[in-house]
Amino acid sequence: MIAIQDLTFTYKNGKTPALQDICLSVPSGGFLGIIGPAGAGKTTLLRAITGVIPHHYTGDFYGSVHVNGMDTVDTSLDRLSGITGMVFQDVESQIIFPTVEDEILYGLENFGVPREEIPLRISEALHKVGIPDLLERSIASLSGGQRQKVAIASILALKPQVLVLDEPTGELDPGSSRQIFTILKELNEEGVTIVLVEQKIMLLCEFAKDLAVLDGGHVVLQGETRKVLTQVEKLQSVGVNCPRVTTLSHLLTERIGRQQPVCVNLDEAERMVRGLMK
Amino acid sequence: MNKLFQYVPGNSLIHRLNPVTKIALTVVICAAAFITDHLLFLVCLLAIDLLIGLIAGVAGRTWSIFRGLVKIAAFLFLLQVLLTRAGNPIFWIITDHGLLTAGKVVLRLIVVCMPLTLVLAVTRISDLTNAMVQVLHVPYPYAFTVSTAIRFIPQFLEEMSGIMEAQTARGVAFDQAKGFKKFSMILPLCAPLLISSVRRTDQMAVAAEARGFHLRTRASAYKQYGFSTGDLLTAVFCILLLAAAILL
Ligand SMILES: Nc1ncnc2c1ncn2[C@@H]1O[C@H](COP(=O)(O)OP(=O)(O)OP(=O)(O)O)[C@@H](O)[C@H]1O
Ligand SMILES: [Mg+2]
């Protein structure tokens, strides 16, 4: 679904490349989590996937990005955005309209969703993120978390084939964050391809099928989530804090000098400790 | 202050008018104010402004707009009266001609500014945009730009007061300064404000483009903006008003 080959990108007013020699691919129906320190280029990578790089943010673009077989450089942003929906990192700049209803209507109207289908799409999207009662409210009267949910709902309503989210739970409480991830998982099971930047590693471990770790514009690690998590030292060297179970189980196996895969959740840790005590 | 441009939800006769009708009414009132040369007619127009506010159920807003305008008007009135030399002196350097022209200028100002702000209180900006596109065939990018600019005004003011609060917390005494001094203290704040709003606009453009901005056509809007009896009556009223302004 998404194929990135040797992508190197430097923003027009940037001195060093924000992304360097990126090779990544996400199959149709994949769920890729991206993590990395501030300024690693995570947002830039998502922009390249959605096509706003190079269509809106210009600069030196080498390599290629294909989405659904289309080269993002040759395809218009309008066509690309019919396939890919993006939830921005900064909610304030994603929301364009003063009321919730207008915000959600906007995309539906533009992409020509049939008139009779629109009310259903709106209520579905709002129900999914758990804010059906906010439809008539003005954005100014909402909390940060509510705004984030509106932003997510406005993209979900469009039913994109590829969903790209940049730290969608940054303003949310743990309960709501989990709720959003559960929705994403459901969509993913329905066949939607998901790419998401997230700092809450526990959630990533649990939901993402694959993981890519970015640092300084490079992909330093990528692969199946569990495989990536076993590289505890490498993760820590780029400042990604592994879940505590992972770190602890890793420390434990190292101390006792045994080769054993790391654990990613409590159940596994329990099983390992029991196994060791036998 | 930043509530001045915000929409007041409601279902009054005025709220339900087609947004284009409301704009037409606004334009007609402004035109009438500039065409006429009668003080009394201007007073009538002012009464109409106030009446519209009353019918729309936004009396509070109307009053606060009116009060704000009167403050500015009072200052202008004084200036005009003191600077006009023509006419017969009544008292000290004040002439009858001066009083009359000053009165007209000031009334005109109030009459013109009131409906411009009132229309925003009784119309949702998105309805304004969509109706302009649908009924008047204004290209969407233009309508979008104008409506976004209008929507930015309160946000701009909010950010401004945010910065001032931050500065006050660092010991800058905005509240003790008056007049020109205060103005010169606020002026340097405009640079960061401008930068942040340019950045915001750019990101907003990305957000708009990423959701099919260029795909939008005149038929895209979900809501339809038809004309009702109320619109017809308002149109008749507009014509009468304009005729009166020209003939009287
Ligand atoms: N519009 C832009 N113009 C120029 N340079 C930019 C622009 N946006 C980002 N950069 C630069 O590109 C690099 C990567 O930024 P990016 O926003 O992709 O990081 P990030 O991993 O998303 O960080 P964060 O976790 O803080 O969101 C940074 O050095 C940043 O300064
Ligand atoms: Mg980012």
Side-chain angles (χ1 to χ4, degrees):
Chain A
M1 195 67 179
I2 302 169
I4 303 175
Q5 256 161 24
D6 302 319
L7 172 66
T8 297
F9 179 77
T10 314
Y11 284 101
K12 196 170 60 192
N13 49 0
K15 289 191 179 63
T16 53
L19 291 176
Q20 243 171 39
D21 304 320
I22 306 282
C23 289
L24 263 181
S25 70
V26 187
S28 183
F31 192 142
L32 173 69
I34 299 172
I35 195 165
K42 305 180 294 292
T43 300
T44 310
L45 181 57
L46 295 191
R47 284 178 182 157
I49 292 173
T50 52
V52 289
I53 286 177
H55 290 291
H56 188 94
Y57 296 97
T58 50
D60 292 332
F61 186 103
Y62 300 102
S64 73
V65 178
H66 284 85
V67 178
N68 202 14
M70 298 185 293
D71 191 322
T72 56
V73 177
D74 303 330
T75 315
S76 75
L77 192 54
D78 291 329
R79 276 194 64 196
L80 291 170
S81 58
I83 293 172
T84 317
M86 176 160 176
V87 176
F88 290 37
Q89 179 169 14
D90 179 11
V91 191
E92 298 301 318
S93 58
Q94 161 136 30
I95 296 181
I96 327 175
F97 292 94
T99 69
V100 175
E101 189 181 12
D102 293 335
E103 183 63 24
I104 299 182
L105 263 178
Y106 174 73
L108 292 171
E109 291 174 336
N110 291 350
F111 288 113
V113 173
R115 197 168 290 278
E116 53 286 356
E117 206 182 306
I118 285 182
L120 187 73
R121 289 267 197 119
I122 295 180
S123 71
E124 237 178 44
L126 287 177
H127 266 101
K128 269 199 179 139
V129 298
I131 49 169
D133 47 334
L134 297 186
L135 180 63
E136 310 261 300
R137 291 275 289 274
S138 79
I139 299 292
S141 71
L142 301 182
S143 74
Q146 288 170 325
R147 285 178 203 196
Q148 196 143 43
K149 288 181 182 178
V150 171
I152 296 172
S154 72
I155 300 298
L156 290 185
L158 301 175
K159 300 198 172 167
Q161 291 175 47
V162 179
L163 197 51
V164 176
L165 306 103
D166 200 349
E167 304 194 24
T169 64
E171 302 258 346
L172 298 182
D173 56 281
S176 302
S177 303
R178 184 158 279 276
Q179 190 191 354
I180 298 293
F181 270 85
T182 312
I183 299 165
L184 294 180
K185 192 177 172 193
E186 277 169 28
L187 288 171
N188 188 234
E189 279 160 6
E190 289 165 21
V192 177
T193 309
I194 292 174
V195 179
L196 145 135
V197 170
E198 179 58 69
Q199 299 291 358
K200 295 175 184 144
I201 180 106
M202 276 307 282
L203 285 170
L204 271 187
C205 294
E206 197 175 329
F207 290 92
K209 290 177 184 162
D210 293 298
L211 219 55
V213 182
L214 239 64
D215 187 31
H218 294 274
V219 174
V220 291
L221 275 175
Q222 66 168 310
E224 236 177 279
T225 304
R226 197 167 288 261
K227 292 229 178 79
V228 170
L229 283 173
T230 55
Q231 315 252 19
V232 178
E233 278 108 5
K234 204 149 184 198
L235 285 172
Q236 275 170 348
S237 75
V238 298
V240 173
N241 287 319
C242 293
R244 251 165 291 166
V245 257
T246 315
T247 324
L248 281 177
S249 63
H250 178 72
L251 258 176
L252 185 65
T253 48
E254 222 180 32
R255 282 280 170 83
I256 58 176
R258 260 208 235 174
Q259 280 298 318
Q260 202 143 18
V262 295
C263 312
V264 295
N265 58 37
L266 269 178
D267 286 346
E268 284 183 19
E270 189 185 338
R271 231 171 295 141
M272 183 187 88
V273 173
R274 277 183 201 285
L276 285 176
M277 289 198 306
K278 264 188 199 150
Chain B
M1 176 72 176
N2 37 20
K3 282 246 159 64
L4 218 58
F5 299 94
Q6 253 173 38
Y7 174 66
V8 184
N11 198 27
S12 72
L13 199 69
I14 310 282
H15 278 90
R16 276 179 284 139
L17 288 179
N18 189 309
V20 173
T21 312
K22 294 183 220 182
I23 294 179
L25 183 59
T26 305
V27 170
V28 164
I29 291 176
C30 293
F34 282 110
I35 293 169
T36 188
D37 201 32
H38 294 281
L39 193 66
L40 206 62
F41 194 74
L42 283 169
V43 173
C44 285
L45 286 175
L46 180 61
I48 291 172
D49 281 351
L50 294 171
L51 198 66
I52 291 172
L54 220 61
I55 297 172
V58 290
R61 173 69 59 87
T62 313
W63 182 243
S64 63
I65 295 171
F66 182 64
R67 229 180 27 202
L69 284 170
V70 164
K71 272 187 213 156
I72 304 170
F75 176 71
L76 279 179
F77 184 80
L78 213 68
L79 213 65
Q80 181 92 13
V81 165
L82 294 180
L83 292 180
T84 309
R85 280 280 170 275
N88 306 314
I90 297 179
F91 166 73
W92 189 38
I93 57 169
I94 297 169
T95 66
D96 55 352
H97 181 76
L99 276 177
L100 197 66
T101 36
K104 281 187 211 157
V105 166
V106 159
L107 263 173
R108 233 173 233 143
L109 174 82
I110 298 178
V111 166
V112 166
C113 288
M114 292 259 307
L116 285 178
T117 36
L118 270 179
V119 88
L120 294 178
V122 296
T123 324
R124 303 202 301 135
I125 297 217
S126 57
D127 287 336
L128 209 59
T129 319
N130 288 336
M132 297 275 265
V133 174
Q134 213 174 79
V135 181
L136 296 182
H137 297 217
V138 174
Y140 183 71
Y142 293 103
F144 178 82
T145 310
V146 173
S147 67
T148 308
I150 293 174
R151 209 167 69 69
F152 262 129
I153 298 171
Q155 248 177 42
F156 204 74
L157 293 174
E158 203 171 290
E159 258 165 55
M160 174 84 107
S161 69
I163 294 180
M164 275 167 72
E165 242 169 60
Q167 300 277 51
T168 309
R170 289 177 178 77
V172 181
F174 283 109
D175 43 353
Q176 280 160 31
K178 277 259 164 352
F180 185 73
K181 183 108 188 293
K182 182 161 183 175
F183 179 73
S184 65
M185 283 168 90
I186 291 177
L187 202 62
L189 302 184
C190 291
L193 260 180
L194 215 62
I195 291 169
S196 82
S197 53
V198 165
R199 184 174 305 141
R200 167 99 52 77
T201 322
D202 185 54
Q203 286 177 335
M204 200 177 210
V206 183
E209 279 183 34
R211 277 186 287 157
F213 181 82
H214 299 291
L215 296 174
R216 200 178 178 94
T217 62
R218 200 163 73 74
S220 288
Y222 175 65
K223 290 182 192 158
Q224 299 290 309
Y225 300 91
F227 291 95
S228 63
T229 327
D231 292 303
L232 190 70
L233 291 177
T234 313
V236 172
F237 177 73
C238 283
I239 294 169
L240 290 178
L241 197 65
L242 211 53
I246 295 169
L247 298 177
L248 286 179

